[in-house]
Amino acid sequence: MNEFFKKLPFIDNVLKGIGQIMLQENRWTGLLFLIGIFMGSWQGGVAVLLSTAAGTFTAMKLKYDPSEINAGLYGFSAALVGVALSFVFQTTLLIWVLILLGGALAAVIQHFFIQKKIPVFTFPFIIITWVAVFVLHHFTQIPASEMISAPSGPADYDDFLTCTNAFGEVIFQGGIFSGIIFFVAVFISSPAAALYGLAGAVLGAYLSHMNGEPIEKIHMGLFGFNAVLSAIVFSGFKKTDGIWVLIAVIITVAIDDLLVDHNTLNEVGGVLTFPFVAGTWITLLIQKLFKTKKIE
């Protein structure tokens, strides 16, 4: 099978790009993510493929570093743009065009920050999606997708499924099976990342519950997916890794709850993964200050 991917490196790069949504440079993780997305909706699956391919193709044509392309670094923000637009809006011709353009633009923005050595994570996806959703809501009549407009059923999940739902919501998937598939996908690439992500989801759900957030949304994983990503970033095998995961998750959940409670960013599609990015930036800054003081 590895020979297959060697002969078709573009497919390999696209799958790794999808896997990098949860910071995993692994084609099998990306393939499982794709399967989970298709289980949610075929439009979402096609959108992810198109946007990730557009981002990867753009990076290749602009002659970005081949090792970065091979690692999937120009695919994950592009992938999220695709799934977000297909999730929020009905997939008209304009939406399909924007999915392709958004994927390409995500790669260009990602490259800018990579060149500046700034760890922006999913920030290009956030900016593009916020702008696109704002413009489309205010200047077009494209209706909301059935997924976002359909009323949610009663939440009847146990604690484990609440946590795996958080994995699913990272890529806009609310189904139980998608969440489980995403957890397994991360686990086969990095057991430590998967387990820390699960712990992050548990802590995120608990903190949000203590803060009085709606229990139905907590069960859906809506207050856990940013915590999952923050936990994965700092996951590892050192004793101190657990401390940094704890700090990152607490900061991320605090930002998430604050923005949601004040209905901030609803006009542009919601908080998306901004709490994860902001929480991780703050934690990295604390980490840097801590290391500087330690040296002194």
Side-chain angles (χ1 to χ4, degrees):
M1 187 60 75
N2 287 335
E3 290 298 320
F4 170 80
F5 287 112
K6 285 181 181 178
K7 291 178 181 177
L8 296 170
F10 184 75
I11 294 175
D12 191 41
N13 295 340
V14 167
L15 289 177
K16 285 180 181 175
I18 297 172
Q20 286 280 16
I21 291 173
M22 295 197 207
L23 295 94
Q24 304 305 306
E25 185 187 334
N26 188 301
R27 63 178 71 97
W28 303 112
T29 299
L31 182 59
L32 285 174
F33 283 173
L34 188 60
I35 290 170
I37 296 166
F38 266 108
M39 286 176 64
S41 78
W42 70 264
Q43 293 97 330
V46 173
V48 165
L49 277 175
L50 289 177
S51 58
T52 311
T56 304
F57 181 76
T58 300
M60 292 170 68
K61 284 299 176 183
L62 294 177
K63 301 187 184 318
Y64 295 161
D65 189 331
S67 64
E68 295 170 354
I69 296 172
N70 184 55
L73 298 185
Y74 296 105
F76 64 94
S77 274
L80 287 169
V81 170
V83 74
L85 292 180
S86 69
F87 177 81
V88 175
F89 299 101
Q90 288 186 19
T91 46
T92 62
L93 178 60
L94 176 59
I95 294 300
W96 287 119
V97 171
L98 289 176
I99 283 170
L100 287 169
L101 293 177
L105 182 58
V108 174
I109 297 174
Q110 200 84 35
H111 179 68
F112 170 80
F113 286 108
I114 288 174
Q115 290 292 95
K116 299 293 182 182
K117 295 183 174 16
I118 300 173
V120 291
F121 305 105
T122 57
F123 193 62
F125 145 68
I126 297 166
I127 293 299
I128 293 169
T129 303
W130 277 347
V131 172
V133 171
F134 179 83
V135 171
L136 289 168
H137 273 323
H138 287 81
F139 299 102
T140 74
Q141 299 297 319
I142 299 175
S145 72
E146 294 178 2
M147 288 180 290
I148 202 169
S149 58
S152 58
D156 185 25
Y157 308 130
D158 61 26
D159 291 337
F160 174 73
L161 293 180
T162 295
C163 298
T164 54
N165 283 341
F167 274 81
E169 288 293 347
V170 171
I171 322 180
F172 297 86
Q173 303 305 305
I176 292 171
F177 291 113
S178 290
I180 292 173
I181 288 173
F182 291 171
F183 171 76
V184 172
V186 176
F187 190 88
I188 63 172
S189 173
S190 170
L195 294 174
Y196 266 118
L198 200 64
V202 172
L203 182 57
Y206 176 76
L207 292 173
S208 294
H209 178 63
M210 294 298 291
N211 194 42
E213 302 300 342
I215 193 67
E216 296 84 6
K217 291 186 176 181
I218 292 174
H219 281 315
M220 289 168 65
L222 296 177
F223 288 97
F225 69 91
N226 278 294
V228 167
L229 291 172
S230 293
I232 288 174
V233 169
F234 294 97
S235 64
F237 297 100
K238 296 178 183 176
K239 292 180 180 178
T240 54
D241 290 335
I243 296 172
W244 292 114
V245 167
L246 179 64
I247 293 170
V249 169
I250 290 173
I251 295 172
T252 296
V253 173
I255 294 170
D256 198 355
D257 289 0
L258 181 67
L259 293 175
V260 171
D261 287 346
H262 289 81
N263 295 317
T264 310
L265 306 173
N266 281 357
E267 282 289 309
V268 291
V271 299
L272 304 178
T273 54
F274 180 72
F276 148 62
V277 172
T280 303
W281 280 344
I282 293 170
T283 306
L284 286 171
L285 180 61
I286 295 170
Q287 208 174 48
K288 188 175 181 180
L289 291 172
F290 180 79
K291 287 179 180 177
T292 302
K293 283 195 172 184
K294 200 172 181 182
I295 292 172
E296 290 175 354

